[in-house]
Amino acid sequence: MVKLTGALILGALLVACQGEKPTNTQEQSADQARIKSHLRFLSDDLLEGRDTGARGHEIASLYIAAEFEKYGLKPAGDNGTFMQRVNFRQAHLDQSSVKLMLTQGDTQVELSYPKQFITSANPSEPNVITQGDMVFVGYGIVAPELEHDDYQGVDVKDKIVVTLAGKPKSFPSEEGAHFGSTSEKKRHAVARGAIGYVSISTPTFEKVRPYQNLMNYLHTPAVRWVDKDGEPANTFPQLKNTAYFSKEAGEILFANAELNLEQIYALLEKDESPKGFDLNSSLTLESKSSYKAISSPNVAAIYEGSDPVLKNEYVVYAAHSDHIGFAKTVKKDKINNGAMDNATGTSVLLETARMFSLLEQRPKRSILFVAVTAEEKGLLGSDYFAQNPTVPAESLVANVNLDMPILTYEFADVIAFGADHSDLKESVTQAAKKINIELSPDPWPHMALFTRSDHYSFVKQGIPAVFLVPGLKSADPEVDGSKQFNNFIQTNYHKPGDDFSQKFNWKAATKFTEVNYHIGLTLANQAKASSWNEGDFFGDTFSK
């Protein structure tokens, strides 16, 4: 046995504290064991599903911050820390308070809640009553780029607008998702003086989101982040009450109107947008809400670039660290562990950060790593960060989002949702070639996934972005990647079965991390910052 002197012990401790040595090469390999250990911890029952504002998510955030610190990254949160604290307001609807009365001439009809209509809590006022005449405005869409204006010739000032859910079939998928979003529809209603908002189910929308399924979320609180004045963000206080009508309620409302609901549905089937008209009806809707204040952190860290000028530009990696907490079930396992959604993405984010930290020759631009909260509540953590960045807003030049990579098979390609909108497509293609895989086109363009994850918060601030996931092509001809993906969605998505016991393919995990690393390296070293394609709808809408 070798006798250790005090000097030898001190030397050994110093070597241990220094960690891994930097490397001169940019061709690095991801560490399977590290990704596995991150994923094991983040999806453990101890964290109780990492719900926004819950203790489990706080533990996850502390773990992520500690890893960033271990890699020598610079804190990019509040007050010299890794944490950007976000305050939220949960608005809970008093179910017994909801009452809705339709008045049509001398007839009054009280609709049944929640059988015939549903509503949600008001995040701005606890006690609200909306009363006014009703006006039908088709889909309620204003899209001059598509020569579509449902408000043309219709006066809705001080009235309640009634819209059809969704959008025309002929609208382009991603642009249509923007124009047909509830927030855009409400924005146009408010701009024209409306005081209430009602949406009607349609046959197309019913296939995607059946009314009966929506009733499962009656007790889910409405959540908004609050600004420095304590006011909830992204709300429309002028619309004190909103409601979503079932087909049955819609038939009652349109029974004596210029067109009945059956006639309106017939127009939709031919992809014709019905013109607006007065409904000769009035509505009274009242409800009460209660509030709870919660907070939850984004975790942010910077790997500083080497160029004296370009280091002031940031390539942003984002992955949401939250999940949905406990399931409402009588089964013994109630914890929604969120292993694939999104402990995988967060683990890849951490391993990517470690790989960058080993570089002796730093890339030109800086890399900003953000583990965002409250994605499951409506992209709220990323929206807060994108609107309140901890670095100058104009310095954010590109975003790569990691959300729910399915790591159960070794893939032979990657998909970058949104790549067609900017020169990020070329950057991702170059990075994929580094590890001998290809970039494949969006296999589900009708789903408009470009508008449905945290990257879209950055897009809305004018920042080119992609949403990166493993492709459906398998490296093993005996494995059907598409089947593997669909199996997860059908079996474990947003369920307690999404835990560490799933059959992960760790080669897929390292492969996905390496292509992710090379994308960031490419974006950080290229001569010009990423830019939108000339004439791109999203670039023109949000960056000008």
Side-chain angles (χ1 to χ4, degrees), residues 422-498:
S422 70
D423 60 10
L424 283 173
K425 182 174 184 177
E426 180 58 30
S427 303
V428 175
T429 300
Q430 290 179 27
K433 286 180 179 177
K434 293 278 188 180
I435 61 168
N436 300 314
I437 62 174
E438 60 186 33
L439 173 64
S440 290
D442 180 355
W444 309 291
H446 62 285
M447 295 179 67
L449 292 175
F450 180 57
T451 67
R452 292 172 55 184
S453 190
D454 285 310
H455 58 284
Y456 198 56
S457 297
F458 293 92
V459 169
K460 289 191 292 185
Q461 301 306 314
I463 301 163
V466 289
F467 171 15
L468 188 71
V469 296
L472 301 181
K473 296 179 182 178
S474 174
D476 183 349
E478 300 297 316
V479 176
D480 185 336
S482 180
K483 187 175 180 180
Q484 292 279 330
F485 179 91
N486 290 329
N487 180 64
F488 170 77
I489 296 297
Q490 294 168 10
T491 307
N492 292 327
Y493 175 65
H494 278 200
K495 295 177 182 176
D498 182 14

Side-chain angles (χ1 to χ4, degrees), residues 110-368:
E110 184 173 357
L111 295 187
S112 173
Y113 173 83
K115 181 183 177 183
Q116 295 176 314
F117 77 98
I118 56 176
T119 186
S120 57
N122 185 310
S124 301
E125 291 186 50
N127 302 310
V128 287
I129 298 178
T130 299
Q131 192 168 25
D133 293 333
M134 307 178 78
V135 180
F136 176 59
V137 291
Y139 284 105
I141 290 175
V142 179
E145 295 87 344
L146 301 176
E147 299 180 347
H148 186 107
D149 184 357
D150 283 324
Y151 284 92
Q152 188 172 8
V154 182
D155 178 17
V156 301
K157 183 173 174 56
D158 297 326
K159 296 178 182 178
I160 297 166
V161 297
V162 177
T163 72
L164 297 166
K167 61 180 178 60
K169 295 176 184 177
S170 58
F171 273 27
S173 177
E174 292 176 342
E175 291 87 340
H178 167 76
F179 288 123
S181 67
T182 301
S183 60
E184 272 296 288
K185 291 185 180 186
K186 288 182 176 179
R187 184 173 71 85
H188 290 300
V190 167
R192 288 156 179 79
I195 60 170
Y197 180 92
V198 172
S199 185
I200 307 285
S201 179
T202 67
T204 298
F205 212 72
E206 195 68 18
K207 293 176 183 177
V208 178
R209 195 172 299 173
Y211 181 85
Q212 195 65 31
N213 289 0
L214 297 178
M215 293 174 66
N216 295 329
Y217 302 96
L218 292 179
H219 299 279
T220 302
V223 183
R224 298 288 186 275
W225 60 263
V226 297
D227 61 24
K228 60 183 179 180
D229 297 320
E231 295 301 318
N234 304 325
T235 59
F236 300 92
Q238 186 175 324
L239 303 176
K240 296 184 182 297
N241 265 317
T242 64
Y244 185 77
F245 278 19
S246 66
K247 177 185 176 183
E248 182 182 355
E251 288 172 340
I252 295 171
L253 176 60
F254 285 88
N256 300 309
E258 187 174 311
L259 293 175
N260 62 36
L261 194 62
E262 183 179 345
Q263 292 170 315
I264 290 173
Y265 283 175
L267 291 173
L268 302 188
E269 185 62 31
K270 295 185 290 184
D271 200 27
E272 295 181 14
S273 296
K275 302 296 183 182
F277 52 81
D278 287 337
L279 283 163
N280 299 316
S281 300
S282 65
L283 173 147
T284 302
L285 175 57
E286 55 185 283
S287 65
K288 295 181 180 179
S289 304
S290 60
Y291 304 137
K292 179 182 178 182
I294 63 172
S295 73
S296 186
N298 291 325
V299 188
I302 292 170
Y303 176 71
E304 194 169 75
S306 60
D307 187 273
V309 175
L310 294 183
K311 72 177 183 179
N312 296 313
E313 296 180 353
Y314 296 87
V315 175
V316 186
Y317 281 111
H320 77 88
S321 54
D322 66 303
H323 195 52
I324 57 174
F326 290 100
K328 294 179 180 178
T329 176
V330 296
K331 296 181 180 180
K332 185 176 180 180
D333 185 2
K334 299 179 185 294
I335 299 175
N336 292 300
N337 301 82
M340 211 76 72
D341 185 17
N342 185 36
T344 52
T346 306
S347 299
V348 169
L349 179 85
L350 289 173
E351 178 61 1
T352 303
R354 187 191 70 86
M355 291 171 70
F356 271 102
S357 74
L358 295 180
L359 288 174
E360 188 174 86
Q361 181 59 49
R362 292 173 175 251
K364 297 175 182 178
R365 292 182 179 82
S366 296
I367 310 292
L368 177 59

Side-chain angles (χ1 to χ4, degrees), residues 20 29-36 351 354-355 510 514:
E20 299 170 270
S29 298
D31 189 325
Q32 178 184 121
R34 292 175 189 272
I35 300 170
K36 187 175 182 179
E351 178 61 1
R354 187 191 70 86
M355 291 171 70
T510 56
E514 286 164 13

